Amino acid sequence: MTGGRTAPLEAALRSLFPPGVATAVVPIGGTNAPLWREEAAAMAGAVPARVAEFVAGRTAARRALADLGLPPVPLPMGPDRAPHWPTGISGSITHAAGYAMAVARRGAPLGVDLEQDAPIPPDLWPTLCRAEELERLGREPGHLVRQIFAAKEAVFKAQDTGRRAMFGFDVVSVTLVTGGFEAHFLDDAGAFRAGQVLQGRLALCDDMILAGVGW
């Protein structure tokens, strides 16, 4: 779906990734597409707002898969709550501020995150950022803390389905650079190794922050 606010968001999302990555943006509540049976179980008992997010995310994901020439398939939720993508496909879904986004490609893992561009309260900074990250941000870093949060969320999602690991915000130290970020792993986590550095991109659009890992 394009038009209105969706078109600039789609352009911002595409700017985060190289050619070969399919992208899609769907307004939450803007689709009546049904869930597949394999997906519906994950939403049993969920409130309507959560169901609407889930539906929009799966709709965006199937649109991205269609752009890769693949037929529509169910994308059930795995034990770690991440979507289970078709064999040979890496993908990521995010939703916030009334929109769901999905990215997919054949090959290496990739991750995407969408956040409202609003300052994070100071009492949460130590939970989301390491001390050296806050020092690099300087004074009044509330909005920048949100960018670091988005970056870490995208990094976390950029994991192989079979080698995913749960890890905290303190495992990665993010440095914001022009147009993006560098994520330095301080400890081993899943397939990631201490000392590994991931390059990511950031985009600001319509009071939202988009973060992507996949270059």
Side-chain angles (χ1 to χ4, degrees), residues 49-123:
R50 172 60 183 137
V51 174
E53 290 177 346
F54 192 89
V55 169
R58 264 36 184 196
T59 300
R62 278 187 271 275
R63 290 182 183 179
L65 292 175
D67 284 348
L68 295 177
L70 297 174
V73 294
L75 300 169
M77 181 186 292
D80 58 358
R81 301 181 63 82
H84 184 76
W85 295 86
T87 301
I89 299 296
S90 297
S92 182
I93 299 173
T94 185
H95 41 70
Y99 292 90
M101 296 180 170
V103 296
R105 71 175 167 197
R106 294 179 173 86
L110 70 174
V112 67
D113 191 58
L114 174 67
E115 300 290 335
Q116 188 78 46
D117 187 11
I120 289 179
D123 60 309

